[in-house]
Amino acid sequence: PGFTLVELLVVMVVIALLGTIIIGSAQVVVRISRDKRYSLTCQVLKTALWRYRSEYNRWPTGGMSPDPKTLTLTVQGADNSKVFDMLREGSSGNPKGIRFLDETTLFTVVSGERIALSRAPSELMPLVYADRDTGTNCYFNVVFDMDSDSVDVK
């Protein structure tokens, strides 16, 4: 009566194989969900920019001017704070005080390189996302095309 050593080893190998398959699948699902969340956040930011454009008949460029030759303005890095600040409720660039962007699920740089959930701060703070593959904080870049009257967030 009882199990032999070979039977126990076979059961342990089967359990280990199943565990490996499950962990591998879970990592793929996490990566896919992270990519979907990033693209959804870009779409939310783009929609907020369009809402501002619709309300004020101009893009929230934060005082920056487009390139006169290409009629495009690319806002990169921490400069995105100038654009996204205009979407905040208490901003001077938003005289009607409309809340174009709900920041409760967005991240911002708080001190140095540390990121935290944005709490609609009063000072200019850029919106960021964490790249888990490289372990770095990345800024959302905004490209305004004045010629075709469009915007893209990357």
Side-chain angles (χ1 to χ4, degrees):
F3 297 105
T4 66
L5 182 59
V6 172
E7 291 171 330
L8 290 174
L9 287 174
V10 168
V11 168
M12 288 173 48
V13 167
V14 168
I15 290 173
L17 284 173
L18 289 174
T20 303
I21 291 170
I22 290 170
I23 289 174
S25 298
Q27 288 174 344
V28 169
V29 169
V30 167
R31 179 171 284 126
I32 289 171
S33 66
R34 192 178 333 130
D35 291 345
K36 294 251 185 220
R37 180 182 171 137
Y38 167 75
S39 62
L40 179 65
T41 302
C42 286
Q43 190 61 40
V44 166
L45 294 173
K46 191 186 300 187
T47 301
L49 292 166
W50 270 107
R51 288 180 57 214
Y52 185 97
R53 168 75 172 95
S54 176
E55 184 65 33
Y56 293 112
N57 292 322
R58 60 184 167 90
W59 291 107
T61 58
M64 296 177 278
S65 300
D67 180 355
K69 293 179 183 174
T70 61
L71 293 177
T72 60
L73 171 64
T74 302
V75 182
Q76 297 177 328
D79 283 343
N80 79 23
S81 62
K82 297 174 185 173
V83 171
F84 294 129
D85 182 62
M86 297 179 76
L87 305 177
R88 294 184 172 121
E89 215 169 347
S91 168
S92 61
N94 183 0
K96 294 182 182 177
I98 299 170
R99 184 183 205 178
F100 293 105
L101 183 61
D102 179 16
E103 296 183 76
T104 55
T105 60
L106 299 175
F107 294 94
T108 187
V109 176
V110 283
S111 62
E113 288 295 310
R114 194 171 65 86
I115 67 170
L117 279 174
S118 175
R119 298 288 180 226
S122 57
E123 67 271 6
L124 293 175
M125 297 179 83
L127 295 180
V128 297
Y129 63 95
D131 186 342
R132 302 281 185 225
D133 294 332
T134 62
T136 59
N137 300 330
C138 302
Y139 295 95
F140 289 99
N141 296 325
V142 183
V143 179
F144 296 102
D145 187 342
M146 306 303 180
D147 191 33
S148 65
D149 199 27
S150 63
V151 66
D152 194 21
V153 179
K154 300 175 185 173

